[in-house]
């Protein structure tokens, strides 16, 4: 299953962007979808996930980012900061909930979309 991520771009600090990820083809509602990001020279890190109707966020984005799901999975990003600059990846899988923030639980990945926040 190939996921398609879109919506990245260049924005000033304090601005907003919305990323979208085409959902996996499987109709299984237990499929979790997450966003990860990787800044230059850094490890890939968890951003947010939606699983079984519940949402999960990294502390660094709580209150600023919102993940939602309809025909696609969206990541609404508000009050962006320069430290949010990274390539953002969407991923789908069936991780156990206690490990939902680990990339190891996701077998399907999108190609990544660049988000750049200028100061």
């Amino acid at each position: 299953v190939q996921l398609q991520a879109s919506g990245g771009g260049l924005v000033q600090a304090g601005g907003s962007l919305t990323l979208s990820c085409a959902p996996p083809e499987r109709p299984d509602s237990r499929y979790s979808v997450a966003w990860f990001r990787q800044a230059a020279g850094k490890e890939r890190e968890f951003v947010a996930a939606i699983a079984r109707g519940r949402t999960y966020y990294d502390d660094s984005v709580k209150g600023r980012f919102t993940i939602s799901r309809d025909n696609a999975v969206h990541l609404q990003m508000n009050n962006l900061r320069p430290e949010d600059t990274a390539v953002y990846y969407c991923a789908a899988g069936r991780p156990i909930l206690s490990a939902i923030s680990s990339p190891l639980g996701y077998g399907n990945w999108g190609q990544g979309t660049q988000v750049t926040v200028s100061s």
Side-chain angles (χ1 to χ4, degrees), residues 84-100:
D84 294 318
T85 295
V87 177
Y88 283 69
Y89 299 89
C90 64
R94 293 181 60 179
I96 57 174
L97 292 183
S98 61
I100 201 163

Side-chain angles (χ1 to χ4, degrees), residues 1 13-14 30 36 50 52 74 94 107 110 118-119:
V1 176
R30 291 171 293 179
F36 290 81
I50 187 163
R52 304 183 189 184
H74 309 284
R94 293 181 60 179
S118 63
S119 57

Side-chain angles (χ1 to χ4, degrees), residues 57-73:
Y57 297 95
D58 183 78
D59 286 345
S60 65
V61 305
K62 278 181 181 177
R64 301 189 298 123
F65 291 13
T66 302
I67 189 169
S68 62
R69 188 173 193 169
D70 46 38
N71 292 326
V73 173

Side-chain angles (χ1 to χ4, degrees), residues 32-38 43-51 54-62 67 89 91-107 109:
S32 300
V33 180
W35 287 95
F36 290 81
R37 65 187 181 187
Q38 189 166 16
E43 297 281 326
R44 189 167 297 190
E45 63 180 14
F46 172 77
V47 176
I50 187 163
R54 296 185 64 179
T55 57
Y56 303 83
Y57 297 95
D58 183 78
D59 286 345
S60 65
V61 305
K62 278 181 181 177
I67 189 169
Y89 299 89
R94 293 181 60 179
I96 57 174
L97 292 183
S98 61
I100 201 163
S101 61
S102 170
L104 298 177
Y106 299 86
W109 291 80

Side-chain angles (χ1 to χ4, degrees), residues 2-6 87-90 109-113:
Q2 181 65 40
L3 301 176
Q4 295 291 330
S6 61
V87 177
Y88 283 69
Y89 299 89
C90 64
W109 291 80
Q111 80 282 12
T113 185

Side-chain angles (χ1 to χ4, degrees), residues 11-17 64 77-82 84 117-119:
V11 64
Q12 289 187 330
S16 299
L17 282 174
R64 301 189 298 123
M77 305 184 294
N78 297 325
N79 192 21
L80 283 161
R81 304 167 179 169
D84 294 318
V117 184
S118 63
S119 57

